[in-house]
Amino acid sequence: MTEPLTDSLTLLSDRLGDPTEEVYARLFRTHPDLEPLFSMDTDGGVRGSMLSQAFDCLMDLAEGPGRLAETVIRAERENHDTYDVPAGMFEVFFDIIRDVTKEAAGADWTPAMETAWTAVLAKADAFAAQQPVKA
Ligand code: HEM
């Protein structure tokens, strides 16, 4: 076991395999207005690569200074304005990833995982809101 957030993602993939379906099912259940935005994504390729970028950002923030995550999240948030993705939705997406991970971890979810996720999501959310973040 190494870094707690990354450890929790290992548990997620061990238990759920590919979590893509679960993540988007939750997103569209809580925010049905977002589903039509993916109508062109007939083979799920966009959904898959979006989620994989989000995982990369979360691990980058957990394991180091998070400069890659900062660049990607700030740039993608601007790009997503052109896809009509409303403000606040990156925060929702990251929360859903945490919730799916926590549920998959079940009794193996630790206080260190909770702490790591809280710290990482605070930074990710600040980047998504285009706010400055101290190291
Ligand atoms: C609820 C939150 C989000 C929604 C509703 C959303 C929606 C979308 C949509 C509709 C597209 C397709 C755009 C098009 O090609 O016309 C897209 C693409 C993409 N999104 Fe998101 N997005 C969200 C969050 C994120 C986050 C948090 C990240 C990364 C940190 C991200 C990264 C990407 C990337 C990299 C693509 C391009 C994927 C590809 O074409 O292979 N998105 N997003």
Side-chain angles (χ1 to χ4, degrees):
M1 292 278 148
T2 48
E3 193 291 316
L5 185 142
T6 303
D7 291 344
S8 71
L9 293 178
T10 304
L11 283 176
L12 172 68
S13 87
D14 286 351
R15 300 202 173 155
L16 223 61
D18 180 357
T20 309
E21 211 170 300
E22 178 61 23
V23 166
Y24 286 94
R26 280 188 196 222
L27 180 65
F28 300 148
R29 197 155 63 233
T30 54
H31 294 78
D33 45 313
L34 297 178
E35 192 162 9
L37 298 180
F38 294 90
S39 58
M40 306 286 275
D41 184 30
T42 47
D43 64 356
V46 168
R47 275 167 285 187
S49 67
M50 217 178 91
L51 181 59
S52 129
Q53 279 262 20
F55 280 130
D56 287 348
C57 288
L58 294 168
M59 287 188 287
D60 186 57
L61 283 166
E63 290 172 0
R67 282 192 249 287
L68 174 78
E70 172 161 17
T71 305
V72 170
I73 294 169
R74 289 193 191 283
E76 284 301 338
R77 187 48 266 189
E78 276 199 20
N79 289 340
H80 283 62
D81 284 347
T82 67
Y83 312 151
D84 294 326
V85 175
M89 290 304 110
F90 274 36
E91 294 85 334
V92 165
F93 195 65
F94 289 131
D95 279 355
I96 287 175
I97 297 173
R98 191 256 334 268
D99 293 347
V100 168
T101 305
K102 188 171 177 172
E103 203 171 294
D108 294 319
W109 183 260
T110 63
M113 289 175 184
E114 186 73 37
T115 305
W117 274 92
T118 301
V120 163
L121 293 189
K123 287 188 191 168
D125 290 356
F127 298 146
Q130 308 295 9
Q131 290 163 359
V133 172
K134 292 199 193 107

